[in-house]
Amino acid sequence: MDKGYAETIASDIMQMLESAKGSDLDLNGGFQNDAFTAENFSFGYLFYPREMLLAIPQLPQAVRKKIKKSNILGTVDLEGRKVGIHLICSLNKGFDEIETAEDIIAGINKKELMDFKEQIAGILHKDLVGNIEEKTTEQ
């Protein structure tokens, strides 16, 4: 696992949790955060308690086995469609009990985090290459 990337994501997630706490949101009731939105794609996070995830029909058994009290999923949308959902972190404590980025790092699912990172990198690369090619063609 890319430790630097995990630390960055954990820090970002901690800021999202602190922001949600500051807005009097029921953290343990589940919420979402749209981290980045562009014209054709977006990346975000779902903060779901165990009960919410287990209520999703057709959730793969491999994912069900990793679900804990609090779960953070990375989402990837492309052209209005959900193309990726990654269970990047699972914790045995409530969202309101998370105190530091280290708590988040301890619950990271390494493979899921790397899959999330690679999917985002692929989309960003295609978008960048496409934009460069459009500008070259326009000139």
Side-chain angles (χ1 to χ4, degrees):
M1 175 175 73
D2 183 338
K3 187 173 173 152
Y5 185 71
E7 289 171 349
T8 299
I9 290 294
S11 175
D12 290 348
I13 289 171
M14 196 65 219
Q15 288 178 356
M16 291 175 215
L17 285 169
E18 288 171 357
S19 176
K21 282 179 190 176
S23 66
D24 293 328
L25 193 64
D26 174 14
L27 299 182
N28 296 324
F31 63 99
Q32 69 182 47
N33 182 289
D34 297 324
F36 181 82
T37 302
E39 186 177 334
N40 296 331
F41 56 88
S42 64
F43 314 123
Y45 297 92
L46 301 174
F47 294 79
Y48 279 7
R50 177 180 179 80
E51 298 76 33
M52 282 180 79
L53 275 181
L54 291 177
I56 296 173
Q58 300 177 350
L59 190 67
Q61 190 62 32
V63 174
R64 287 181 180 275
K65 288 180 182 180
K66 296 177 187 174
I67 294 172
K68 296 183 180 172
K69 184 174 183 177
S70 297
N71 305 277
I72 304 166
L73 298 97
T75 63
V76 181
D77 291 90
L78 186 60
E79 297 178 3
R81 289 189 9 228
K82 190 94 42 219
V83 295
I85 301 176
H86 306 273
L87 181 60
I88 60 174
C89 184
S90 303
L91 301 158
N92 285 321
K93 56 172 76 177
F95 289 119
D96 61 344
E97 300 173 272
I98 298 171
E99 296 178 2
T100 66
E102 285 75 29
D103 290 340
I104 296 163
I105 290 172
I108 284 182
N109 298 314
K110 297 170 187 162
K111 182 185 180 325
E112 294 284 332
L113 180 63
M114 291 301 100
D115 290 348
F116 181 55
K117 176 185 176 184
E118 289 172 16
Q119 188 173 26
I120 291 171
I123 289 170
L124 291 174
H125 176 76
K126 285 179 185 174
D127 183 64
L128 179 63
V129 169
N131 287 334
I132 290 172
E133 287 175 359
E134 277 180 27
K135 288 184 180 183
T136 304
T137 306
E138 290 172 6
Q139 291 178 357

